[in-house]
Amino acid sequence: MPLALSTGHEIGLGVTALIFILFALASSFVFPRFRPDYPGHGLLAFIVVAFVFFFGMLTAVEVFGAESKHGEAAAAETTTTQQTTTAKTTTQPTTTTTAKPAATKVPVSEVEFKITLASTNFKAGEITFEAKNDGKIPHDLAIKGTSDKTKLIPPGGSAELKVTLKPGKYELYCTVPGHEAAGMRLNITVA
């Protein structure tokens, strides 16, 4: 599921990126035309301004790139409603009882920028991914193509992702912007 940003967040990221890019271009092409020794004696000021713009961009990505709490709550409510509806439509009185397979618990380690499991092959049914953030920045754990994901896990924290998976191939990944592209994804097989 791609990250859906609100229009305001998209504009905020765009404006911040534009300011950062304009500063970089002006520093490279415009300022040296008018002051050939640029930055010259103002090197310290240039470095400070560059760091301010850089950390401003990082902050903008963190603020504008984060999913809103309202969106997460709405997604959780939708999932609960769908599960309740499914349970109501599939519940039928039966005279026989079948043993429910035991839920599989899978420890998951997340670090910058890797997801590690002991095994990538599982039996179909209920699986609980016990995600632990062993990294230094927040991560989460999600399953591509579904709405199933954990909350944002702080460094040293943990969260559980309980899912029922049918046979097939799935991809676990971190939904924090840029983390999946940096390598935080792992293919698993359910048989």
PDB file of all heavy atoms in Angstrom, residues 63-99:
ATOM      1  N   VAL A  63       8.097  15.467   9.632  1.00  0.00           N
ATOM      2  CA  VAL A  63       6.795  16.035   9.969  1.00  0.00           C
ATOM      3  C   VAL A  63       5.777  15.791   8.863  1.00  0.00           C
ATOM      4  O   VAL A  63       4.692  15.274   9.096  1.00  0.00           O
ATOM      5  CB  VAL A  63       6.915  17.554  10.253  1.00  0.00           C
ATOM      6  CG1 VAL A  63       5.546  18.200  10.384  1.00  0.00           C
ATOM      7  CG2 VAL A  63       7.729  17.790  11.510  1.00  0.00           C
ATOM      8  N   PHE A  64       6.122  16.178   7.629  1.00  0.00           N
ATOM      9  CA  PHE A  64       5.164  16.082   6.539  1.00  0.00           C
ATOM     10  C   PHE A  64       5.050  14.672   5.973  1.00  0.00           C
ATOM     11  O   PHE A  64       4.051  14.326   5.360  1.00  0.00           O
ATOM     12  CB  PHE A  64       5.526  17.057   5.412  1.00  0.00           C
ATOM     13  CG  PHE A  64       5.418  18.500   5.803  1.00  0.00           C
ATOM     14  CD1 PHE A  64       6.484  19.359   5.619  1.00  0.00           C
ATOM     15  CD2 PHE A  64       4.261  19.008   6.346  1.00  0.00           C
ATOM     16  CE1 PHE A  64       6.397  20.694   5.971  1.00  0.00           C
ATOM     17  CE2 PHE A  64       4.151  20.343   6.709  1.00  0.00           C
ATOM     18  CZ  PHE A  64       5.228  21.186   6.519  1.00  0.00           C
ATOM     19  N   GLY A  65       6.066  13.841   6.161  1.00  0.00           N
ATOM     20  CA  GLY A  65       6.033  12.494   5.618  1.00  0.00           C
ATOM     21  C   GLY A  65       5.372  11.483   6.529  1.00  0.00           C
ATOM     22  O   GLY A  65       5.108  10.362   6.137  1.00  0.00           O
ATOM     23  N   ALA A  66       5.093  11.868   7.784  1.00  0.00           N
ATOM     24  CA  ALA A  66       4.475  10.949   8.733  1.00  0.00           C
ATOM     25  C   ALA A  66       2.993  10.814   8.451  1.00  0.00           C
ATOM     26  O   ALA A  66       2.338  11.774   8.059  1.00  0.00           O
ATOM     27  CB  ALA A  66       4.691  11.449  10.157  1.00  0.00           C
ATOM     28  N   GLU A  67       2.482   9.601   8.662  1.00  0.00           N
ATOM     29  CA  GLU A  67       1.048   9.395   8.519  1.00  0.00           C
ATOM     30  C   GLU A  67       0.366  10.004   9.734  1.00  0.00           C
ATOM     31  O   GLU A  67       0.862   9.936  10.845  1.00  0.00           O
ATOM     32  CB  GLU A  67       0.729   7.904   8.461  1.00  0.00           C
ATOM     33  CG  GLU A  67       1.212   7.246   7.195  1.00  0.00           C
ATOM     34  CD  GLU A  67       0.790   5.800   7.112  1.00  0.00           C
ATOM     35  OE1 GLU A  67      -0.312   5.475   7.563  1.00  0.00           O
ATOM     36  OE2 GLU A  67       1.568   5.016   6.599  1.00  0.00           O
ATOM     37  N   SER A  68      -0.786  10.566   9.517  1.00  0.00           N
ATOM     38  CA  SER A  68      -1.501  11.196  10.627  1.00  0.00           C
ATOM     39  C   SER A  68      -2.105  10.135  11.536  1.00  0.00           C
ATOM     40  O   SER A  68      -2.438   9.037  11.113  1.00  0.00           O
ATOM     41  CB  SER A  68      -2.601  12.112  10.092  1.00  0.00           C
ATOM     42  OG  SER A  68      -3.611  11.339   9.482  1.00  0.00           O
ATOM     43  N   LYS A  69      -2.268  10.479  12.805  1.00  0.00           N
ATOM     44  CA  LYS A  69      -2.890   9.564  13.767  1.00  0.00           C
ATOM     45  C   LYS A  69      -4.341   9.310  13.374  1.00  0.00           C
ATOM     46  O   LYS A  69      -4.848   8.224  13.548  1.00  0.00           O
ATOM     47  CB  LYS A  69      -2.831  10.154  15.182  1.00  0.00           C
ATOM     48  CG  LYS A  69      -1.432  10.368  15.694  1.00  0.00           C
ATOM     49  CD  LYS A  69      -0.777   9.068  16.004  1.00  0.00           C
ATOM     50  CE  LYS A  69       0.611   9.312  16.549  1.00  0.00           C
ATOM     51  NZ  LYS A  69       1.476   8.212  16.422  1.00  0.00           N
ATOM     52  N   HIS A  70      -5.000  10.343  12.825  1.00  0.00           N
ATOM     53  CA  HIS A  70      -6.389  10.196  12.402  1.00  0.00           C
ATOM     54  C   HIS A  70      -6.499   9.138  11.313  1.00  0.00           C
ATOM     55  O   HIS A  70      -7.394   8.303  11.335  1.00  0.00           O
ATOM     56  CB  HIS A  70      -6.934  11.542  11.915  1.00  0.00           C
ATOM     57  CG  HIS A  70      -8.329  11.457  11.367  1.00  0.00           C
ATOM     58  ND1 HIS A  70      -9.412  11.233  12.169  1.00  0.00           N
ATOM     59  CD2 HIS A  70      -8.792  11.545  10.093  1.00  0.00           C
ATOM     60  CE1 HIS A  70     -10.500  11.193  11.423  1.00  0.00           C
ATOM     61  NE2 HIS A  70     -10.157  11.378  10.161  1.00  0.00           N
ATOM     62  N   GLY A  71      -5.572   9.140  10.359  1.00  0.00           N
ATOM     63  CA  GLY A  71      -5.578   8.167   9.266  1.00  0.00           C
ATOM     64  C   GLY A  71      -5.366   6.761   9.781  1.00  0.00           C
ATOM     65  O   GLY A  71      -5.992   5.811   9.331  1.00  0.00           O
ATOM     66  N   GLU A  72      -4.464   6.605  10.768  1.00  0.00           N
ATOM     67  CA  GLU A  72      -4.212   5.284  11.337  1.00  0.00           C
ATOM     68  C   GLU A  72      -5.443   4.780  12.078  1.00  0.00           C
ATOM     69  O   GLU A  72      -5.802   3.616  11.987  1.00  0.00           O
ATOM     70  CB  GLU A  72      -3.007   5.333  12.277  1.00  0.00           C
ATOM     71  CG  GLU A  72      -1.688   5.543  11.567  1.00  0.00           C
ATOM     72  CD  GLU A  72      -0.532   5.704  12.543  1.00  0.00           C
ATOM     73  OE1 GLU A  72      -0.730   5.562  13.765  1.00  0.00           O
ATOM     74  OE2 GLU A  72       0.586   5.966  12.060  1.00  0.00           O
ATOM     75  N   ALA A  73      -6.110   5.665  12.830  1.00  0.00           N
ATOM     76  CA  ALA A  73      -7.300   5.277  13.575  1.00  0.00           C
ATOM     77  C   ALA A  73      -8.420   4.869  12.622  1.00  0.00           C
ATOM     78  O   ALA A  73      -9.122   3.895  12.856  1.00  0.00           O
ATOM     79  CB  ALA A  73      -7.768   6.422  14.475  1.00  0.00           C
ATOM     80  N   ALA A  74      -8.578   5.618  11.530  1.00  0.00           N
ATOM     81  CA  ALA A  74      -9.613   5.292  10.544  1.00  0.00           C
ATOM     82  C   ALA A  74      -9.328   3.943   9.888  1.00  0.00           C
ATOM     83  O   ALA A  74     -10.233   3.143   9.676  1.00  0.00           O
ATOM     84  CB  ALA A  74      -9.701   6.384   9.480  1.00  0.00           C
ATOM     85  N   ALA A  75      -8.062   3.676   9.585  1.00  0.00           N
ATOM     86  CA  ALA A  75      -7.695   2.389   8.982  1.00  0.00           C
ATOM     87  C   ALA A  75      -7.963   1.249   9.955  1.00  0.00           C
ATOM     88  O   ALA A  75      -8.467   0.197   9.570  1.00  0.00           O
ATOM     89  CB  ALA A  75      -6.231   2.400   8.556  1.00  0.00           C
ATOM     90  N   ALA A  76      -7.637   1.452  11.234  1.00  0.00           N
ATOM     91  CA  ALA A  76      -7.879   0.425  12.244  1.00  0.00           C
ATOM     92  C   ALA A  76      -9.371   0.172  12.405  1.00  0.00           C
ATOM     93  O   ALA A  76      -9.817  -0.963  12.529  1.00  0.00           O
ATOM     94  CB  ALA A  76      -7.263   0.824  13.579  1.00  0.00           C
ATOM     95  N   GLU A  77     -10.175   1.250  12.399  1.00  0.00           N
ATOM     96  CA  GLU A  77     -11.619   1.121  12.523  1.00  0.00           C
ATOM     97  C   GLU A  77     -12.202   0.372  11.326  1.00  0.00           C
ATOM     98  O   GLU A  77     -13.052  -0.490  11.470  1.00  0.00           O
ATOM     99  CB  GLU A  77     -12.249   2.510  12.638  1.00  0.00           C
ATOM    100  CG  GLU A  77     -13.746   2.472  12.874  1.00  0.00           C
ATOM    101  CD  GLU A  77     -14.317   3.867  13.037  1.00  0.00           C
ATOM    102  OE1 GLU A  77     -13.695   4.688  13.716  1.00  0.00           O
ATOM    103  OE2 GLU A  77     -15.391   4.113  12.465  1.00  0.00           O
ATOM    104  N   THR A  78     -11.718   0.678  10.125  1.00  0.00           N
ATOM    105  CA  THR A  78     -12.182   0.002   8.917  1.00  0.00           C
ATOM    106  C   THR A  78     -11.855  -1.485   8.984  1.00  0.00           C
ATOM    107  O   THR A  78     -12.692  -2.328   8.675  1.00  0.00           O
ATOM    108  CB  THR A  78     -11.531   0.629   7.666  1.00  0.00           C
ATOM    109  OG1 THR A  78     -11.866   2.010   7.639  1.00  0.00           O
ATOM    110  CG2 THR A  78     -12.014  -0.054   6.397  1.00  0.00           C
ATOM    111  N   THR A  79     -10.643  -1.815   9.424  1.00  0.00           N
ATOM    112  CA  THR A  79     -10.229  -3.209   9.532  1.00  0.00           C
ATOM    113  C   THR A  79     -11.109  -3.940  10.537  1.00  0.00           C
ATOM    114  O   THR A  79     -11.569  -5.048  10.286  1.00  0.00           O
ATOM    115  CB  THR A  79      -8.751  -3.305   9.955  1.00  0.00           C
ATOM    116  OG1 THR A  79      -7.969  -2.610   8.994  1.00  0.00           O
ATOM    117  CG2 THR A  79      -8.295  -4.746  10.044  1.00  0.00           C
ATOM    118  N   THR A  80     -11.383  -3.325  11.696  1.00  0.00           N
ATOM    119  CA  THR A  80     -12.224  -3.933  12.715  1.00  0.00           C
ATOM    120  C   THR A  80     -13.630  -4.149  12.174  1.00  0.00           C
ATOM    121  O   THR A  80     -14.219  -5.202  12.371  1.00  0.00           O
ATOM    122  CB  THR A  80     -12.277  -3.049  13.979  1.00  0.00           C
ATOM    123  OG1 THR A  80     -10.943  -2.836  14.433  1.00  0.00           O
ATOM    124  CG2 THR A  80     -13.105  -3.689  15.065  1.00  0.00           C
ATOM    125  N   THR A  81     -14.176  -3.173  11.464  1.00  0.00           N
ATOM    126  CA  THR A  81     -15.507  -3.289  10.882  1.00  0.00           C
ATOM    127  C   THR A  81     -15.547  -4.430   9.869  1.00  0.00           C
ATOM    128  O   THR A  81     -16.475  -5.223   9.856  1.00  0.00           O
ATOM    129  CB  THR A  81     -15.924  -1.965  10.206  1.00  0.00           C
ATOM    130  OG1 THR A  81     -15.843  -0.920  11.172  1.00  0.00           O
ATOM    131  CG2 THR A  81     -17.330  -2.050   9.651  1.00  0.00           C
ATOM    132  N   GLN A  82     -14.507  -4.517   9.036  1.00  0.00           N
ATOM    133  CA  GLN A  82     -14.460  -5.588   8.030  1.00  0.00           C
ATOM    134  C   GLN A  82     -14.371  -6.946   8.705  1.00  0.00           C
ATOM    135  O   GLN A  82     -15.027  -7.897   8.291  1.00  0.00           O
ATOM    136  CB  GLN A  82     -13.259  -5.388   7.103  1.00  0.00           C
ATOM    137  CG  GLN A  82     -13.417  -4.221   6.161  1.00  0.00           C
ATOM    138  CD  GLN A  82     -12.141  -3.933   5.383  1.00  0.00           C
ATOM    139  OE1 GLN A  82     -11.069  -4.410   5.717  1.00  0.00           O
ATOM    140  NE2 GLN A  82     -12.263  -3.125   4.339  1.00  0.00           N
ATOM    141  N   GLN A  83     -13.571  -7.055   9.777  1.00  0.00           N
ATOM    142  CA  GLN A  83     -13.433  -8.332  10.468  1.00  0.00           C
ATOM    143  C   GLN A  83     -14.754  -8.728  11.124  1.00  0.00           C
ATOM    144  O   GLN A  83     -15.147  -9.885  11.095  1.00  0.00           O
ATOM    145  CB  GLN A  83     -12.314  -8.250  11.515  1.00  0.00           C
ATOM    146  CG  GLN A  83     -10.937  -8.175  10.897  1.00  0.00           C
ATOM    147  CD  GLN A  83      -9.847  -7.885  11.919  1.00  0.00           C
ATOM    148  OE1 GLN A  83     -10.127  -7.513  13.045  1.00  0.00           O
ATOM    149  NE2 GLN A  83      -8.608  -8.078  11.512  1.00  0.00           N
ATOM    150  N   THR A  84     -15.458  -7.746  11.716  1.00  0.00           N
ATOM    151  CA  THR A  84     -16.743  -8.014  12.354  1.00  0.00           C
ATOM    152  C   THR A  84     -17.756  -8.461  11.315  1.00  0.00           C
ATOM    153  O   THR A  84     -18.485  -9.429  11.514  1.00  0.00           O
ATOM    154  CB  THR A  84     -17.258  -6.762  13.089  1.00  0.00           C
ATOM    155  OG1 THR A  84     -16.275  -6.354  14.023  1.00  0.00           O
ATOM    156  CG2 THR A  84     -18.564  -7.039  13.796  1.00  0.00           C
ATOM    157  N   THR A  85     -17.805  -7.773  10.173  1.00  0.00           N
ATOM    158  CA  THR A  85     -18.725  -8.128   9.101  1.00  0.00           C
ATOM    159  C   THR A  85     -18.420  -9.532   8.587  1.00  0.00           C
ATOM    160  O   THR A  85     -19.327 -10.334   8.389  1.00  0.00           O
ATOM    161  CB  THR A  85     -18.625  -7.113   7.939  1.00  0.00           C
ATOM    162  OG1 THR A  85     -18.869  -5.811   8.458  1.00  0.00           O
ATOM    163  CG2 THR A  85     -19.627  -7.432   6.854  1.00  0.00           C
ATOM    164  N   THR A  86     -17.152  -9.833   8.402  1.00  0.00           N
ATOM    165  CA  THR A  86     -16.758 -11.152   7.927  1.00  0.00           C
ATOM    166  C   THR A  86     -17.155 -12.210   8.939  1.00  0.00           C
ATOM    167  O   THR A  86     -17.680 -13.262   8.583  1.00  0.00           O
ATOM    168  CB  THR A  86     -15.232 -11.202   7.681  1.00  0.00           C
ATOM    169  OG1 THR A  86     -14.898 -10.177   6.754  1.00  0.00           O
ATOM    170  CG2 THR A  86     -14.811 -12.550   7.142  1.00  0.00           C
ATOM    171  N   ALA A  87     -16.927 -11.923  10.215  1.00  0.00           N
ATOM    172  CA  ALA A  87     -17.273 -12.888  11.257  1.00  0.00           C
ATOM    173  C   ALA A  87     -18.776 -13.128  11.281  1.00  0.00           C
ATOM    174  O   ALA A  87     -19.228 -14.264  11.445  1.00  0.00           O
ATOM    175  CB  ALA A  87     -16.798 -12.395  12.624  1.00  0.00           C
ATOM    176  N   LYS A  88     -19.585 -12.082  11.100  1.00  0.00           N
ATOM    177  CA  LYS A  88     -21.039 -12.231  11.116  1.00  0.00           C
ATOM    178  C   LYS A  88     -21.526 -13.031   9.920  1.00  0.00           C
ATOM    179  O   LYS A  88     -22.446 -13.831  10.027  1.00  0.00           O
ATOM    180  CB  LYS A  88     -21.715 -10.856  11.107  1.00  0.00           C
ATOM    181  CG  LYS A  88     -21.612 -10.131  12.430  1.00  0.00           C
ATOM    182  CD  LYS A  88     -22.278  -8.780  12.345  1.00  0.00           C
ATOM    183  CE  LYS A  88     -22.129  -8.005  13.640  1.00  0.00           C
ATOM    184  NZ  LYS A  88     -22.673  -6.654  13.545  1.00  0.00           N
ATOM    185  N   THR A  89     -20.925 -12.820   8.755  1.00  0.00           N
ATOM    186  CA  THR A  89     -21.408 -13.501   7.562  1.00  0.00           C
ATOM    187  C   THR A  89     -20.900 -14.928   7.455  1.00  0.00           C
ATOM    188  O   THR A  89     -21.486 -15.726   6.754  1.00  0.00           O
ATOM    189  CB  THR A  89     -20.996 -12.732   6.289  1.00  0.00           C
ATOM    190  OG1 THR A  89     -19.580 -12.617   6.265  1.00  0.00           O
ATOM    191  CG2 THR A  89     -21.632 -11.361   6.237  1.00  0.00           C
ATOM    192  N   THR A  90     -19.825 -15.259   8.152  1.00  0.00           N
ATOM    193  CA  THR A  90     -19.286 -16.608   8.021  1.00  0.00           C
ATOM    194  C   THR A  90     -19.620 -17.489   9.219  1.00  0.00           C
ATOM    195  O   THR A  90     -19.300 -18.660   9.212  1.00  0.00           O
ATOM    196  CB  THR A  90     -17.762 -16.566   7.846  1.00  0.00           C
ATOM    197  OG1 THR A  90     -17.189 -15.895   8.973  1.00  0.00           O
ATOM    198  CG2 THR A  90     -17.369 -15.881   6.562  1.00  0.00           C
ATOM    199  N   THR A  91     -20.236 -16.950  10.257  1.00  0.00           N
ATOM    200  CA  THR A  91     -20.565 -17.740  11.430  1.00  0.00           C
ATOM    201  C   THR A  91     -21.830 -18.547  11.144  1.00  0.00           C
ATOM    202  O   THR A  91     -22.874 -17.993  10.851  1.00  0.00           O
ATOM    203  CB  THR A  91     -20.784 -16.835  12.662  1.00  0.00           C
ATOM    204  OG1 THR A  91     -19.627 -16.051  12.844  1.00  0.00           O
ATOM    205  CG2 THR A  91     -21.073 -17.644  13.899  1.00  0.00           C
ATOM    206  N   GLN A  92     -21.695 -19.869  11.225  1.00  0.00           N
ATOM    207  CA  GLN A  92     -22.830 -20.745  11.011  1.00  0.00           C
ATOM    208  C   GLN A  92     -22.805 -21.809  12.099  1.00  0.00           C
ATOM    209  O   GLN A  92     -21.734 -22.244  12.519  1.00  0.00           O
ATOM    210  CB  GLN A  92     -22.732 -21.429   9.649  1.00  0.00           C
ATOM    211  CG  GLN A  92     -22.717 -20.459   8.485  1.00  0.00           C
ATOM    212  CD  GLN A  92     -22.472 -21.197   7.172  1.00  0.00           C
ATOM    213  OE1 GLN A  92     -22.433 -22.418   7.127  1.00  0.00           O
ATOM    214  NE2 GLN A  92     -22.314 -20.432   6.113  1.00  0.00           N
ATOM    215  N   PRO A  93     -23.960 -22.219  12.559  1.00  0.00           N
ATOM    216  CA  PRO A  93     -23.967 -23.271  13.573  1.00  0.00           C
ATOM    217  C   PRO A  93     -23.467 -24.581  12.971  1.00  0.00           C
ATOM    218  O   PRO A  93     -23.828 -24.957  11.865  1.00  0.00           O
ATOM    219  CB  PRO A  93     -25.437 -23.385  13.996  1.00  0.00           C
ATOM    220  CG  PRO A  93     -26.229 -22.643  12.967  1.00  0.00           C
ATOM    221  CD  PRO A  93     -25.289 -21.753  12.231  1.00  0.00           C
ATOM    222  N   THR A  94     -22.582 -25.253  13.695  1.00  0.00           N
ATOM    223  CA  THR A  94     -22.062 -26.535  13.231  1.00  0.00           C
ATOM    224  C   THR A  94     -22.166 -27.536  14.367  1.00  0.00           C
ATOM    225  O   THR A  94     -22.184 -27.176  15.545  1.00  0.00           O
ATOM    226  CB  THR A  94     -20.591 -26.420  12.801  1.00  0.00           C
ATOM    227  OG1 THR A  94     -19.843 -25.937  13.910  1.00  0.00           O
ATOM    228  CG2 THR A  94     -20.425 -25.486  11.627  1.00  0.00           C
ATOM    229  N   THR A  95     -22.215 -28.802  13.982  1.00  0.00           N
ATOM    230  CA  THR A  95     -22.299 -29.840  14.997  1.00  0.00           C
ATOM    231  C   THR A  95     -20.934 -30.460  15.260  1.00  0.00           C
ATOM    232  O   THR A  95     -20.778 -31.186  16.216  1.00  0.00           O
ATOM    233  CB  THR A  95     -23.287 -30.939  14.542  1.00  0.00           C
ATOM    234  OG1 THR A  95     -22.875 -31.407  13.265  1.00  0.00           O
ATOM    235  CG2 THR A  95     -24.700 -30.374  14.474  1.00  0.00           C
ATOM    236  N   THR A  96     -19.982 -30.207  14.401  1.00  0.00           N
ATOM    237  CA  THR A  96     -18.650 -30.761  14.627  1.00  0.00           C
ATOM    238  C   THR A  96     -17.694 -29.617  14.963  1.00  0.00           C
ATOM    239  O   THR A  96     -17.867 -28.500  14.519  1.00  0.00           O
ATOM    240  CB  THR A  96     -18.135 -31.493  13.369  1.00  0.00           C
ATOM    241  OG1 THR A  96     -18.071 -30.557  12.304  1.00  0.00           O
ATOM    242  CG2 THR A  96     -19.036 -32.641  12.997  1.00  0.00           C
ATOM    243  N   THR A  97     -16.701 -29.923  15.722  1.00  0.00           N
ATOM    244  CA  THR A  97     -15.689 -28.925  16.037  1.00  0.00           C
ATOM    245  C   THR A  97     -14.349 -29.426  15.521  1.00  0.00           C
ATOM    246  O   THR A  97     -14.040 -30.612  15.634  1.00  0.00           O
ATOM    247  CB  THR A  97     -15.591 -28.676  17.555  1.00  0.00           C
ATOM    248  OG1 THR A  97     -15.303 -29.902  18.203  1.00  0.00           O
ATOM    249  CG2 THR A  97     -16.875 -28.078  18.100  1.00  0.00           C
ATOM    250  N   THR A  98     -13.615 -28.501  14.951  1.00  0.00           N
ATOM    251  CA  THR A  98     -12.290 -28.861  14.463  1.00  0.00           C
ATOM    252  C   THR A  98     -11.266 -28.106  15.288  1.00  0.00           C
ATOM    253  O   THR A  98     -11.498 -26.971  15.714  1.00  0.00           O
ATOM    254  CB  THR A  98     -12.119 -28.487  12.980  1.00  0.00           C
ATOM    255  OG1 THR A  98     -12.388 -27.100  12.830  1.00  0.00           O
ATOM    256  CG2 THR A  98     -13.063 -29.277  12.099  1.00  0.00           C
ATOM    257  N   ALA A  99     -10.158 -28.730  15.497  1.00  0.00           N
ATOM    258  CA  ALA A  99      -9.094 -28.095  16.274  1.00  0.00           C
ATOM    259  C   ALA A  99      -8.477 -26.977  15.447  1.00  0.00           C
ATOM    260  O   ALA A  99      -8.119 -27.178  14.292  1.00  0.00           O
ATOM    261  CB  ALA A  99      -8.036 -29.118  16.657  1.00  0.00           C
TER     262      ALA A  99
END
